[in-house]
Amino acid sequence: MSQIRHQPVAPTSTRFLGGGETIDRHRHDDHQLIYVSSGVLAITTEHGSWIASNDRALWIPANTWHEHRFYGRSRFHTIGFPARGRTPLLDAERPTVIAVDTLVRELLIALTGTTLTQTEIRHIEEVLRDRLRRVTAQPVALPAARDRRLADACRLVREDLHQPRTLARLAARVHTSERTLSRLYRDEFGMTFPQWRTRARIFTAMVMLAEDATVTDTAHACGWATTSAFVQTFARTVGITPGNYRAGTGTSRKG
């Protein structure tokens, strides 16, 4: 896998990057909407980590430090929006994953092309702004922990999702009580430990599928007892089956 690191890109652009390539930690004076029309992109900020793929894009507020890692051959689109003035999202002050339908996808791709006139760009931007006010947020994200004990517990789980870990055993490993660790998950993430663990499994599964892992191998590696249980949970969370998601990233070599 490539370990090429890239410098930050312009607020509005299109680039092709390979699996394993990264863009260094950086920030922009403008807001930015990030989208990959093929491949999968993991985006990390001080607030947490998100997955962007061809059915979801990520809004990054101005002056937010962030870095990227690509999985599979990726076509990477970024669109800048002035930090001052009207923003296309109702909540533009925090990173947000949004659903990308067919119309939004074509608008994003068109805006990052090189053949448009300034008048055409303004017209398309207006349509995109109106459309973004209608799209729904997608919650596939892993928030960043502030408490060291919680951060250590999350790291231990993500290092080996196949290994079942009880909250009591995790608490012992990070030198706190089960009750305290449970409270930290609720207070910092707004979810229980099992809910966070499921989200961590889904997050990792999205990356594995983008790198062409089979549905069965992904289910096993991410800790599901059966493939059918994985398929049901993935579809309920992401909105499509893992097989359709794998095919839709544009990186799969097999059917």
Side-chain angles (χ1 to χ4, degrees):
M1 178 181 291
S2 172
Q3 295 297 321
I4 299 173
R5 300 187 67 85
H6 296 272
Q7 293 300 310
V9 297
T12 299
S13 63
T14 296
R15 296 177 67 177
F16 289 91
L17 295 102
E21 295 185 18
T22 61
I23 295 177
D24 291 332
R25 183 173 180 265
H26 64 285
R27 61 182 179 179
H28 300 281
D29 293 334
D30 295 330
H31 303 304
Q32 194 174 57
L33 190 63
I34 297 171
Y35 177 63
V36 284
S37 54
S38 63
V40 168
L41 168 62
I43 304 164
T44 301
T45 78
E46 61 185 296
H47 306 285
S49 299
W50 287 263
I51 288 286
S53 55
N54 68 354
D55 65 346
R56 63 196 68 227
L58 179 65
W59 173 265
I60 297 289
N63 296 311
T64 299
W65 287 101
H66 58 287
E67 57 186 304
H68 310 311
R69 184 178 183 89
F70 297 86
Y71 298 90
R73 176 70 172 168
S74 301
R75 188 182 181 196
F76 174 52
H77 309 268
T78 58
I79 297 175
F81 294 87
R84 295 184 178 181
R86 186 168 63 99
T87 60
L89 297 186
L90 296 177
D91 183 1
E93 301 305 316
R94 61 179 179 178
T96 303
V97 175
I98 60 173
V100 172
D101 60 18
T102 302
L103 176 56
V104 172
R105 168 188 166 86
E106 295 305 319
L107 292 171
L108 294 174
I109 292 174
L111 277 176
T112 56
T114 59
T115 61
L116 298 177
T117 66
Q118 288 300 312
T119 298
E120 289 172 329
I121 290 174
R122 286 196 298 272
H123 289 166
I124 294 175
E125 283 181 342
E126 285 303 312
V127 176
L128 178 61
R129 286 174 180 273
D130 289 341
R131 189 63 184 176
L132 288 177
R133 288 185 170 84
R134 298 172 179 267
V135 298
T136 57
Q138 298 291 314
V140 182
L142 286 179
R146 297 185 300 272
D147 187 280
R148 179 187 54 79
R149 295 164 297 179
L150 180 59
D152 287 345
C154 293
R155 176 182 52 78
L156 287 170
V157 173
R158 294 193 66 192
E159 283 177 349
D160 187 3
L161 289 168
H162 177 66
Q163 177 69 32
R165 296 181 184 273
T166 65
L167 190 62
R169 182 172 297 181
L170 271 179
R173 289 287 304 274
V174 300
H175 309 293
T176 191
S177 68
E178 180 178 0
R179 181 176 181 179
T180 296
L181 189 56
S182 177
R183 176 181 55 78
L184 287 171
Y185 273 101
R186 293 194 306 272
D187 290 351
E188 291 206 18
F189 297 162
M191 63 186 84
T192 65
F193 167 64
Q195 289 171 331
W196 175 87
R197 182 178 55 194
T198 296
R199 187 171 293 190
R201 287 171 170 172
I202 292 291
F203 192 95
T204 301
M206 294 172 76
V207 168
M208 290 186 63
L209 292 168
E211 293 187 307
D212 213 33
T214 68
V215 173
T216 298
D217 288 347
T218 301
H220 179 75
C222 293
W224 273 276
T226 65
T227 301
S228 61
F230 165 55
V231 170
Q232 291 175 4
T233 304
F234 189 96
R236 184 171 62 249
T237 304
V238 180
I240 58 174
T241 66
N244 287 338
Y245 174 86
R246 178 175 179 267
T249 63
T251 63
S252 178
R253 297 179 295 277
K254 298 179 281 295

